Amino acid sequence: MAFFKNLATHTFYQVVARLASSGATFLITVLIARHFGAASYGDYAKVTAFVSLFYLFADFGFNAVFLQKENASERFKDLFYTRMVAAIFLIILVNAIALSLPYNSATGIGFSPFVRAAIAMFSFTILTESILYSVFAVFQRKYLYKNYMLATIIGSCANVFFVGIFLLFGFPLMWVFVGYVCGGVIEAGTSMVLSKQRILPIIIHTDFVKELVAQTLPVALMLIFNLVYFRIDTILLSIFKSSTDVGIYDI
């Protein structure tokens, strides 16, 4: 009986966290659409969708393998700093890809200078998401789903607060992405405090990291191929259409 009670409790915490996150996203979406209009909302959707694709790479399936380690409780720093290095690499990669994608100023199709700048700002959420992924492994291992729920609620409220304040004072769309980064920092910081994990001094056991990456690689490749399978058509159509339009107007 106790098992089912604990299962229901942990499930409840995760459902509440999901509702808080989804509810905040929905509310922010409505506010942006009503405040900026369809064109700016399109830029917002393009930026968030593009950067969010790379959250999967930040996850990389590390937690699934990490939690099976007998000494996982002693290796949080290895998981944390491995993800930090990967996140920095992904931020550079995201912006490099965004800069290389086409844009037609005549039709407004593609990745405009504003969208690229917004991607540069929003890409910092890859870093905060990486922290959350790492801390969530601690919550899973210790069954601290209540702390996960609290961090998510606080982060979601922070996102709504910052975005709402910026919209209230008439700030441009770029500040919405600044609000997301601020909210992500608060959520990541809250989760770190609740996890009670220490990240200083910086110590990385390279042998453990190599083993973790090697064992995680098959899972990561499966996730990546799954992502490509479901999203490659949308990406190719967007790039092809932009390139075609550019060619038409250049003639």
Side-chain angles (χ1 to χ4, degrees), residues 1-32:
M1 188 67 181
F3 169 79
F4 291 104
K5 182 179 179 181
N6 289 333
L7 179 62
T9 301
H10 296 322
T11 301
F12 171 76
Y13 290 148
Q14 293 184 74
V15 169
V16 172
R18 178 67 65 179
L19 289 175
S21 178
S22 300
T25 301
F26 175 75
L27 180 57
I28 291 173
T29 299
V30 172
L31 291 174
I32 291 173

Side-chain angles (χ1 to χ4, degrees), residues 187-235:
E187 184 176 0
T190 301
S191 66
M192 283 297 302
V193 171
L194 293 175
S195 71
K196 299 180 181 180
Q197 296 294 313
R198 295 182 178 181
I199 57 175
L200 294 176
I202 299 176
I203 300 176
I204 302 176
H205 299 86
T206 55
D207 291 338
F208 179 85
V209 172
K210 290 178 181 178
E211 181 183 355
L212 180 64
V213 172
Q215 293 179 0
T216 304
L217 191 58
V219 178
L221 289 175
M222 180 186 69
L223 293 174
I224 292 170
F225 286 133
N226 186 63
L227 171 66
V228 171
Y229 177 78
F230 284 104
R231 296 296 184 92
I232 192 63
D233 55 340
T234 303
I235 296 172

Side-chain angles (χ1 to χ4, degrees), residues 40-55 94 111-112 114-123 125 173-174 177:
S40 293
Y41 174 76
D43 287 340
Y44 162 79
K46 186 182 297 183
V47 171
T48 54
F50 180 75
V51 175
S52 297
L53 288 175
F54 292 84
Y55 288 171
V94 166
F111 286 68
S112 66
F114 169 79
V115 170
R116 292 168 179 169
I119 286 174
M121 173 56 64
F122 192 63
S123 64
T125 60
L173 181 60
M174 179 63 73
F177 302 107

Side-chain angles (χ1 to χ4, degrees), residues 131-208:
I131 296 174
L132 291 173
Y133 290 145
S134 298
V135 175
F136 187 48
V138 176
F139 292 155
Q140 284 182 297
R141 180 170 53 82
K142 296 183 179 181
Y143 299 102
L144 298 175
Y145 292 98
K146 183 178 181 180
N147 290 349
Y148 166 70
M149 178 190 69
L150 290 174
T152 302
I153 291 175
I154 292 173
S156 299
C157 290
N159 282 335
V160 174
F161 172 78
F162 284 116
V163 172
I165 288 294
F166 294 150
L167 294 182
L168 180 64
F169 286 96
F171 282 48
L173 181 60
M174 179 63 73
W175 284 86
V176 169
F177 302 107
V178 175
Y180 268 112
V181 174
C182 293
V185 170
I186 290 176
E187 184 176 0
T190 301
S191 66
M192 283 297 302
V193 171
L194 293 175
S195 71
K196 299 180 181 180
Q197 296 294 313
R198 295 182 178 181
I199 57 175
L200 294 176
I202 299 176
I203 300 176
I204 302 176
H205 299 86
T206 55
D207 291 338
F208 179 85

